[in-house]
Amino acid sequence: MISKLLNILFVLLLGAFSLYLIQGACFRLVEPYAKLRLGLAWGSSDTTKMNSIISKLPLDHFAQPPIKEGFDILKEELAYARKIMSFNRPARDRYYNYVRSQVDPLRNFEITNLGMVKEVVLPGLRRPATSLDVANGLARREGLPVDFSKALFVRVIPQTSRLVYEQSFGQWEKAFAFLLNHGISCVLLSPKNSEELSTQLSYLQAQHSNFCENIFAYAEGQAVGLLDNAVNGNEEISIRCLIVKDPREEVLLSEQPNPVWFMGITSQVEADEKVLLSMTKRAQLYRDSPLVFHSRLSGLIYEESKWENLALTSFPMSYILNCLEFYPDSLPFVHEVKEMAENNVSSSLAGLGKPSQEIGEISSLSIDDFEYSNPEPNFDCEVVREYRQINKGDAGVADLTNRELVLQIGSSFEEMGVNVLEQIADQDPMFYRFYLSLKEIGTSQN
């Protein structure tokens, strides 16, 4: 009898241990399960209390933020960040595999100018226009489809030459493409000073709120000071997420940090002690919130991975996606878009008395038409338009697509010399980007 009971107990213990190993493997490898476990532990983004039952288990979700002061706190902050962000491991793997497999990642996205801000890459999302969109001239009336993005990712670098700018843009293309696939527009800014950067960001949020309502900003080294001075105390700029890496000087403490999420990244723990402490203080200040997600994630210090060798490593990338996901109140979701479209169509029908052609077009659109419209790029740019104008009587030119013209004209410029192509890049950066992308695609296919 005792032997039988021992066998049953052994089987139960073995089964429990197996389940523990399986769920641990799923947490590490399966993204939906990792998010499910996080939701069970923390609840929704506006929850103020954790799950009282699950919190008794020794899980990373319940790691307590460090509250000490002094240089010794840095190692505790680094360990805390690794634990509290452990649920992102599957998402980090997904990003790492994505950037390793991409060739010409921006080929399906539009690169355009938003007024004074040049070369903004757009994700190709659409939604019904709001009253603000109508006021800004983006649509004739509410309810018509308008382009938008869930946020704008801004990579800030110090003012530099066109060649260095292009090189930096190329290094960030894969990270940009991953963000674009999540509905986030991207831009690389190279301002001459903090005043110019402040003007650019203020302009984007005031004139292009459909793309820039939420700004996620990233800067390294000297550029951290530019970004800090541009946004600190500026009420016209609303930064949702701020990520800084290896700042040269102490990071400024904002008087009103909430609801900004902040991540400080160091590539060397032996860096300047005052700089590291300033990042630590800022992270602790930003975590001061009654909300569970905000109090755990809105201020982190991370030591840069030495083996990933990416422009933007997987840890800060997953942090950006967390910030996007756990602030759902200010982002348009599918059910909100559907309700908005239905309300606008109904009110327009009532006001006109009879259906118009435009309203019929709106009512026939599905919700997928509003949420994602990832069109093929038309390769329209100044050089192509001017070339068509000069050769408007040539039937051969009229039959060519913009894509074919970009390749043909770009090849001709290259044959004339490298300096000629560089001069064209200064006059029409969009043409230059199109040509390099198409040339790389052709090279990879041969």
Side-chain angles (χ1 to χ4, degrees), residues 176-189:
F176 284 174
F178 190 80
L179 291 169
L180 288 160
N181 283 319
H182 286 81
I184 302 176
S185 298
C186 300
V187 65
L188 177 67
L189 296 183

Side-chain angles (χ1 to χ4, degrees), residues 136-180:
N136 288 338
L138 301 174
R140 284 179 293 175
R141 66 166 167 271
E142 296 180 40
L144 293 178
V146 64
D147 294 332
F148 87 107
S149 63
K150 297 178 180 179
L152 173 69
F153 177 79
V154 179
R155 166 71 168 105
V156 181
I157 61 174
Q159 187 178 38
T160 185
S161 66
R162 181 69 196 181
L163 178 62
V164 174
Y165 177 91
E166 289 289 345
Q167 291 174 344
S168 181
F169 193 99
Q171 292 171 354
W172 278 77
E173 280 188 347
K174 294 180 178 181
F176 284 174
F178 190 80
L179 291 169
L180 288 160

Side-chain angles (χ1 to χ4, degrees), residues 402-422:
N402 287 349
R403 178 191 182 107
E404 292 168 331
L405 281 178
V406 168
L407 282 171
Q408 179 177 306
I409 298 170
S411 298
S412 299
F413 285 147
E414 275 199 314
E415 292 174 359
M416 296 168 64
V418 179
N419 293 335
V420 175
L421 192 59
E422 289 181 354

Side-chain angles (χ1 to χ4, degrees), residues 91-104:
R92 293 174 61 189
D93 290 343
R94 177 165 57 88
Y95 168 64
Y96 187 77
N97 293 333
Y98 175 86
V99 297
R100 290 299 182 187
S101 63
Q102 289 298 302
V103 176
D104 190 34

Side-chain angles (χ1 to χ4, degrees), residues 158-431:
Q159 187 178 38
T160 185
S161 66
R162 181 69 196 181
L163 178 62
V164 174
Y165 177 91
E166 289 289 345
Q167 291 174 344
S168 181
F169 193 99
Q171 292 171 354
W172 278 77
E173 280 188 347
K174 294 180 178 181
F176 284 174
F178 190 80
L179 291 169
L180 288 160
N181 283 319
H182 286 81
I184 302 176
S185 298
C186 300
V187 65
L188 177 67
L189 296 183
S190 178
K192 60 183 179 182
N193 52 45
S194 58
E195 289 75 17
E196 181 178 326
L197 177 59
S198 177
T199 301
Q200 290 175 324
L201 296 179
S202 299
Y203 168 80
L204 286 172
Q205 289 204 310
Q207 300 298 324
H208 299 279
S209 58
N210 53 320
F211 296 119
C212 314
E213 179 181 359
N214 305 301
I215 292 180
F216 299 164
Y218 179 97
E220 299 180 9
Q222 180 183 347
V224 175
L226 281 174
L227 182 58
D228 237 357
N229 292 327
V231 303
N232 198 32
N234 191 333
E235 297 181 356
E236 296 181 356
I237 303 174
S238 176
I239 300 291
R240 177 59 53 84
C241 179
L242 178 62
I243 301 177
V244 301
K245 176 183 174 183
D246 293 332
R248 301 281 179 83
E249 301 175 351
E250 294 182 50
V251 178
L252 299 177
L253 292 177
S254 176
E255 297 177 357
Q256 297 178 332
N258 292 332
V260 177
W261 282 29
F262 172 81
M263 173 176 281
I265 304 175
T266 175
S267 59
Q268 48 183 349
V269 180
E270 296 78 14
D272 188 286
E273 180 176 339
K274 291 184 178 180
V275 172
L276 294 175
L277 284 178
S278 68
M279 288 199 299
T280 301
K281 288 180 180 179
R282 191 162 185 172
Q284 292 177 341
L285 177 65
Y286 282 20
R287 288 197 300 256
D288 184 15
S289 171
L291 301 179
V292 174
F293 277 90
H294 198 94
S295 64
R296 292 298 186 272
L297 297 177
S298 62
L300 297 178
I301 303 297
Y302 168 66
E303 185 176 6
E304 181 81 305
S305 172
K306 295 181 175 60
W307 62 269
E308 288 191 8
N309 192 29
L310 300 173
L312 183 65
T313 56
S314 61
F315 200 92
M317 175 61 79
S318 63
Y319 189 73
I320 292 169
L321 299 184
N322 291 159
C323 186
L324 181 69
E325 182 176 0
F326 301 137
Y327 273 91
D329 54 310
S330 62
L331 302 177
F333 284 91
V334 172
H335 70 276
E336 295 173 344
V337 173
K338 184 176 181 180
E339 291 174 359
M340 187 188 304
E342 290 174 349
N343 292 337
N344 283 319
V345 170
S346 299
S347 61
S348 298
L349 285 170
L352 293 176
K354 61 179 181 178
S356 66
Q357 181 180 358
E358 289 177 343
I359 295 177
E361 291 173 356
I362 297 172
S363 61
S364 66
L365 293 175
S366 68
I367 191 63
D368 292 332
D369 295 321
F370 285 114
E371 183 63 14
Y372 283 94
S373 66
N374 197 6
E376 290 294 321
N378 59 13
F379 298 101
D380 182 38
C381 56
E382 183 180 345
V383 169
V384 170
R385 289 194 296 270
E386 186 174 343
Y387 187 83
R388 286 192 184 279
Q389 181 65 28
I390 295 173
N391 300 276
K392 59 183 178 181
D394 191 331
V397 173
D399 292 338
L400 293 175
T401 64
N402 287 349
R403 178 191 182 107
E404 292 168 331
L405 281 178
V406 168
L407 282 171
Q408 179 177 306
I409 298 170
S411 298
S412 299
F413 285 147
E414 275 199 314
E415 292 174 359
M416 296 168 64
V418 179
N419 293 335
V420 175
L421 192 59
E422 289 181 354
Q423 291 174 9
I424 296 299
D426 292 333
Q427 297 174 13
D428 188 355
M430 197 171 298
F431 169 81

Side-chain angles (χ1 to χ4, degrees), residues 79-136:
Y80 170 75
R82 288 192 294 269
K83 279 189 174 183
I84 210 66
M85 292 276 285
S86 61
F87 67 91
N88 280 315
R89 189 69 255 189
R92 293 174 61 189
D93 290 343
R94 177 165 57 88
Y95 168 64
Y96 187 77
N97 293 333
Y98 175 86
V99 297
R100 290 299 182 187
S101 63
Q102 289 298 302
V103 176
D104 190 34
L106 300 183
R107 62 184 178 276
N108 291 328
F109 299 103
E110 179 186 2
I111 303 177
T112 189
N113 299 332
L114 298 181
M116 69 170 66
V117 181
K118 310 300 182 183
E119 298 183 62
V120 181
V121 195
L122 305 179
L125 304 186
R126 306 187 84 189
R127 59 163 170 74
T130 65
S131 58
L132 182 60
D133 297 327
V134 176
N136 288 338

